[in-house]
Amino acid sequence: MKKKYQGLELSYKLQLLPICKDELIRSWLVRNALFFNMKPSQLSTIIFQNTDIWKSDIDVQLSKKSVQSFLNAIEIKEEDLLRNLLSSKCEHFYPHLNDSKQVKWLLQIGVHQRGQKNSLQYCPECIASDRVPYFRTYWRLGFLTACHIHDICFLDSCTNCNSPIDLVRYNKTDSMSFEPLDYLKCNQCSFDLREAPRIKPSHYELEANKEHFKLLVEGHGSIGNLTFNYSHIYYDGLRRIMSFILCSKKGIDMFEYIVNEYSFDSEYIESRIKVSRHSEPEHLPITIRKIGVVFSYYIMRDWPISFIKICKEFGITKRFIYSPHLNYSFWLQETLDLRLN
């Protein structure tokens, strides 16, 4: 029996291009839609029988109803679909999904927020060397800023026109058709994202990214001189430190110190001053987040010695960092209580 939805008929399950390992659900649907010369939102409507779901963050989690609609429309195993949802991977960096609908650390790239300017980050060498280019799930994680495979910086905007990397809106004129690889082009100026410059990160940024990725994948391990049985314990503490350095008004002086100490572009300081009061690390562009990543590498080598030293240099005590409304990982809580009280 044919299923019909808003003039679109589906008489059999769709045979889509295979989903890649660690591929964002949105990336997969975009690839398939453009391959079939369709708008991604149109393919999404056919699959989910819902015109609004394309505007939600389908990479993170899907309702039972949406999952069932997906399985009814697409020839795919349920475990393969669920495996690529970020909610199924978040226990290693944010295991508190039941406490909040928002998964912390995930870069916000949905279209449900008016004036959304956040962007997906990517490695230009990855999509240039892929047999089938695609966008990875871990590119949405705010504590990663560089590619551990190619040793280059992630980018989170078009290097030609500075527009955000957008996997949501794809438009065409009446006289033009989609091309299968249009998702690798900037939506604003059509610049090929694979041609973007390869920028080398600092040693500290690269080493921190390698440690962060290894801990993410294995779910346990060492960072600096500390060992964590559960990786999320580190990421919880790191998020509090980065929130202070990158988002708190009282952390600007320390941010400026890190920029000067490691010879980063002074324009980063101007961007940091403009950070809004209620921002979180995952709301920030890569140019600001990388400062927090570098700082994390510096302070974890001899934790808590260097951290305490720099805090005391800038007069930072527990009350500057601590909030009674939040839970703190033991390794950070102990330092705040005993050394920065």
Side-chain angles (χ1 to χ4, degrees):
M1 181 178 178
K2 291 184 178 181
K3 290 182 288 185
K4 189 173 182 180
Y5 188 73
Q6 292 198 346
L8 302 171
E9 292 188 352
L10 190 62
S11 57
Y12 52 84
K13 287 191 174 184
L14 297 174
Q15 302 286 331
L16 298 188
L17 302 171
I19 190 169
C20 299
K21 180 182 179 182
D22 285 329
E23 181 173 16
L24 291 168
I25 299 294
R26 189 176 296 276
S27 168
W28 179 45
L29 293 183
V30 165
R31 287 197 299 113
N32 277 279
L34 299 184
F35 180 79
F36 292 116
N37 194 28
M38 299 171 63
K39 274 189 175 184
S41 57
Q42 184 182 23
L43 178 60
S44 172
T45 298
I46 295 174
I47 293 172
F48 294 108
Q49 300 187 24
N50 183 334
T51 56
D52 294 324
I53 197 168
W54 188 247
K55 299 176 183 179
S56 65
D57 200 342
I58 59 175
D59 293 324
V60 180
Q61 51 190 330
L62 296 170
S63 66
K64 290 182 179 180
K65 181 179 179 181
S66 295
V67 170
Q68 193 55 55
S69 296
F70 208 110
L71 298 177
N72 290 340
I74 304 295
E75 197 68 59
I76 187 175
K77 294 180 180 179
E78 183 174 3
E79 56 265 33
D80 292 337
L81 170 63
L82 298 179
R83 187 183 302 121
N84 281 53
L85 289 174
L86 282 159
S87 56
S88 67
K89 304 170 182 287
C90 72
E91 63 179 10
H92 284 177
F93 61 89
Y94 187 73
H96 314 296
L97 190 58
N98 293 331
D99 303 330
S100 170
K101 292 183 179 179
Q102 179 190 4
V103 180
K104 303 298 184 181
W105 279 123
L106 290 188
L107 304 182
Q108 308 298 296
I109 64 170
V111 297
H112 55 286
Q113 296 177 5
R114 182 173 295 180
Q116 178 64 259
K117 296 181 180 180
N118 292 331
S119 175
L120 175 67
Q121 57 188 7
Y122 78 102
C123 169
E125 188 59 37
C126 279
I127 59 174
S129 59
D130 282 340
R131 185 177 63 83
V132 177
Y134 68 97
F135 290 84
R136 279 71 166 162
T137 55
Y138 58 84
W139 288 349
R140 285 199 57 182
L141 298 175
F143 52 77
L144 296 176
T145 60
C147 180
H148 65 285
I149 299 173
H150 298 109
D151 295 352
I152 61 175
C153 293
F154 286 157
L155 303 174
D156 68 348
S157 62
C158 170
T159 54
N160 186 58
C161 72
N162 205 37
S163 296
I165 307 303
D166 190 351
L167 289 181
V168 178
R169 302 173 183 85
Y170 288 84
N171 299 309
K172 65 174 180 177
T173 64
D174 294 336
S175 60
M176 294 176 62
S177 297
F178 287 124
E179 295 294 333
L181 295 181
D182 277 352
Y183 65 98
L184 299 179
K185 297 179 181 179
C186 172
N187 282 2
Q188 297 300 312
C189 70
S190 297
F191 175 76
D192 191 328
L193 301 178
R194 295 170 294 183
E195 300 300 321
R198 278 54 167 168
I199 302 171
K200 285 290 184 182
S202 70
H203 168 77
Y204 304 101
E205 182 183 0
L206 183 59
E207 290 304 308
N209 271 273
K210 289 182 175 180
E211 287 187 346
H212 286 176
F213 187 80
K214 183 179 180 182
L215 190 67
L216 171 71
V217 172
E218 296 183 356
H220 60 86
S222 297
I223 295 288
N225 67 345
L226 294 182
T227 298
F228 299 92
N229 292 329
Y230 301 99
S231 56
H232 70 83
I233 295 175
Y234 167 71
Y235 290 118
D236 283 347
L238 172 64
R239 193 168 182 280
R240 293 313 314 148
I241 293 172
M242 286 184 66
S243 291
F244 173 71
I245 298 294
L246 308 182
C247 306
S248 170
K249 212 171 182 181
K250 297 172 182 176
I252 292 178
D253 290 341
M254 196 179 291
F255 181 95
E256 184 174 351
Y257 167 82
I258 301 165
V259 169
N260 294 329
E261 183 73 13
Y262 294 99
S263 301
F264 281 103
D265 196 319
S266 59
E267 290 183 1
Y268 289 4
I269 299 173
E270 295 179 23
S271 299
R272 170 63 179 86
I273 294 173
K274 295 177 183 178
V275 171
S276 62
R277 179 181 176 186
H278 299 294
S279 291
E280 298 182 82
E282 56 266 23
H283 298 159
L284 305 176
I286 195 169
T287 50
I288 296 181
R289 283 186 288 111
K290 68 169 53 194
I291 305 301
V293 170
V294 167
F295 185 66
S296 73
Y297 185 81
Y298 169 71
I299 61 173
M300 295 306 295
R301 298 309 93 198
D302 59 357
W303 180 268
I305 297 173
S306 292
F307 178 68
I308 294 169
K309 180 180 179 182
I310 193 172
C311 283
K312 289 187 174 181
E313 182 175 341
F314 286 93
I316 304 300
T317 60
K318 174 182 175 178
R319 68 183 181 86
F320 288 88
I321 302 174
Y322 183 76
S323 170
H325 308 294
L326 300 172
N327 293 321
Y328 287 72
S329 299
F330 70 88
W331 60 278
L332 178 58
Q333 184 74 57
E334 183 181 55
T335 298
L336 295 177
D337 288 342
L338 300 181
R339 310 293 290 275
L340 292 176
N341 216 335

